[in-house]
Amino acid sequence: MNKKDIQNREDVSALVNSFYKKIRVDETLGPIFNEVIKDWDEHLDRLTTFWETSLFMTKKLDKKYYGNPLAAHVEVDRRFNHSITNTHFGLWLNLWFETLDELFEGEVAENAKRRARKMGTFMFMNIFAARGEK
């Protein structure tokens, strides 16, 4: 099967939806995500906008992401008694890469991997740092 690169919002939506289907049933990540996220349709749309904005910054977009994902993740860590670890981020990243590899290939797909790796590291380091701030 010849795969194409990520080209538009529809591709990003397919990636995000496929990825979160895996997250929701993962034995480690699923319980966290399923407890925190109450409106999956809204969340998937928001994350599609986040990734579309991240991957196609130079293109004119109908929607742009505005939000503070770091604050949201710090709050999730607090809600789960500061139990989020690098294992959670590793599992998340592995599922992201797996989903990308199943659906796409090309420069934008590779950029999605690089951005996810950087974002995961940034999030985890800042969640850890926030634990010391009271």
Side-chain angles (χ1 to χ4, degrees):
M1 175 177 143
N2 282 343
K3 297 179 214 167
K4 65 176 188 149
D5 205 352
I6 302 168
Q7 299 174 359
N8 51 42
R9 183 175 180 84
E10 291 75 28
D11 291 341
V12 176
S13 180
L15 170 62
V16 167
N17 280 277
S18 295
F19 172 67
Y20 279 98
K21 281 181 187 173
K22 293 176 184 183
I23 291 288
R24 292 173 80 171
V25 298
D26 183 85
E27 64 183 41
T28 302
L29 299 175
I32 296 169
F33 280 83
N34 290 317
E35 182 174 325
V36 171
I37 299 166
K38 300 305 179 200
D39 183 345
W40 273 100
D41 289 337
E42 187 275 332
H43 189 71
L44 293 170
D45 185 62
R46 176 179 287 156
L47 288 173
T48 296
T49 300
F50 171 83
W51 280 105
E52 181 186 27
T53 301
S54 180
L55 295 173
F56 301 114
M57 289 186 274
T58 60
K59 296 185 179 182
K60 184 178 180 205
L61 300 174
D62 292 334
K63 290 177 137 184
K64 287 194 178 182
Y65 177 81
Y66 298 98
N68 187 342
L70 178 57
H73 287 80
V74 166
E75 174 57 25
V76 169
D77 183 56
R78 185 201 59 74
R79 185 171 171 178
F80 283 86
N81 298 313
H82 304 293
S83 63
I84 305 298
T85 69
N86 60 341
T87 299
H88 293 94
F89 282 94
L91 291 168
W92 180 91
L93 193 60
N94 284 339
L95 288 172
W96 181 251
F97 278 34
E98 177 184 290
T99 308
L100 276 162
D101 289 340
E102 287 170 358
L103 300 175
F104 300 102
E105 65 183 5
E107 185 52 40
V108 179
E110 291 303 313
N111 188 30
K113 291 178 183 179
R114 287 189 298 273
R115 287 183 175 277
R117 188 180 296 114
K118 286 180 181 180
M119 182 177 50
T121 300
F122 172 82
M123 290 286 185
F124 179 68
M125 296 303 291
N126 281 281
I127 285 171
F128 186 77
R131 290 176 184 173
E133 299 170 4
K134 304 250 188 248

